[in-house]
Amino acid sequence: MEKSDMIEKLKDYLPEKRWTHSLNVARAAVRLAELMGCDSEKAEIAGILHDTAKYVKLADVGSYCDKYNIKLDDMEKKSTALSHSILGSYIAKYEFGIDDENILSAIRYHTTAKPAMNTLEEIIYVADVIEIGRDYPGVDDLREVALSGDLDRAVLMALENAIMSVMRKKAPLHLRTIEARNYYLAKVKGK
Ligand SMILES: [Fe+2]
Ligand SMILES: [Fe+2]
């Protein structure tokens, strides 16, 4: 599918605000990819498609799992905040025709992250929270670190922001996020 068709089709999945966010993430991802010497075409596509499942209702998650043979753990089953990234990777594959495993994996892990992500996964994780429409305390610092090319430190900062935000909401934290934070903390400290 052509990129322009993808962007048009995305309107069937997302309200305008989230559609704009997706294009902003794609733009931020291209910038980071160029900075890191990563494939900017893949970064752009992953950014465009990362949130396709954001508006799938909890009651409909089961039917997607049956349709595409998706396995979710117990926490993911209860939370669309967690499952939308996993469902999104299948929607990208089966409804947008993406077969590149790196793109699919970057979409899959954009909410929880995981330890030892590859560069594209790291780029999408960070691009999601530094895109131009984001405005929260600390976003400028995070943008600056990310655009300085210290992607490991940017991932760590983004993870710590995410963990604190989940705690403030009194929501459960996925273990993958904690493991990712410990991994990137050790990596940054070891530099
Ligand atoms: Fe998302
Ligand atoms: Fe997003």
Side-chain angles (χ1 to χ4, degrees):
M1 190 184 295
E2 290 289 325
K3 209 159 49 198
S4 56
D5 295 332
M6 243 176 237
I7 292 168
E8 195 54 34
K9 184 176 160 87
L10 190 61
K11 289 180 179 165
D12 298 338
Y13 291 74
L14 301 177
E16 194 182 343
K17 196 172 155 224
R18 184 64 51 172
W19 181 84
T20 303
H21 160 72
S22 301
L23 298 193
N24 287 345
V25 171
R27 213 166 298 136
V30 166
R31 198 162 164 198
L32 291 175
E34 285 167 356
L35 193 66
M36 304 306 297
C38 187
D39 188 321
S40 59
E41 186 75 16
K42 289 186 186 187
E44 186 174 20
I45 292 169
I48 292 168
L49 298 179
H50 81 286
D51 265 344
T52 50
K54 187 76 182 177
Y55 289 81
V56 172
K57 293 189 181 69
L58 190 61
D60 297 326
V61 168
S63 64
Y64 276 92
C65 291
D66 293 343
K67 190 174 177 188
Y68 297 134
N69 195 22
I70 304 170
K71 304 267 186 286
L72 299 177
D73 67 29
D74 287 340
M75 267 186 85
E76 290 158 354
K77 276 179 196 158
K78 289 181 197 145
S79 160
T80 55
L82 291 172
S83 64
H84 82 271
S85 56
I86 299 170
L87 262 58
S89 69
Y90 287 85
I91 289 174
K93 182 171 182 170
Y94 293 113
E95 300 180 21
F96 287 81
I98 303 298
D99 55 14
D100 184 283
E101 287 301 328
N102 282 319
I103 296 175
L104 297 176
S105 173
I107 296 171
R108 183 179 181 99
Y109 292 106
H110 87 264
T111 47
T112 60
K114 63 172 180 172
M117 292 188 285
N118 65 36
T119 309
L120 186 62
E121 289 164 340
E122 292 174 344
I123 284 172
I124 296 303
Y125 187 71
V126 171
D128 192 20
V129 292
I130 65 163
E131 59 96 343
I132 195 163
R134 294 286 196 191
D135 185 16
Y136 55 87
V139 69
D140 288 330
D141 291 343
L142 179 48
R143 279 189 188 115
E144 198 179 310
V145 170
L147 296 174
S148 78
D150 192 349
L151 195 54
D152 287 331
R153 187 176 293 274
V155 170
L156 176 63
M157 288 169 76
L159 279 163
E160 291 186 344
N161 286 345
I163 288 169
M164 285 187 284
S165 153
V166 169
M167 288 181 69
R168 272 195 298 273
K169 286 181 202 151
K170 306 284 183 207
L173 263 167
H174 199 281
L175 267 182
R176 223 167 24 240
T177 306
I178 299 171
E179 287 167 355
R181 187 266 177 172
N182 291 343
Y183 174 89
Y184 283 94
L185 179 67
K187 197 172 179 199
V188 167
K189 275 190 170 172
K191 272 186 177 173

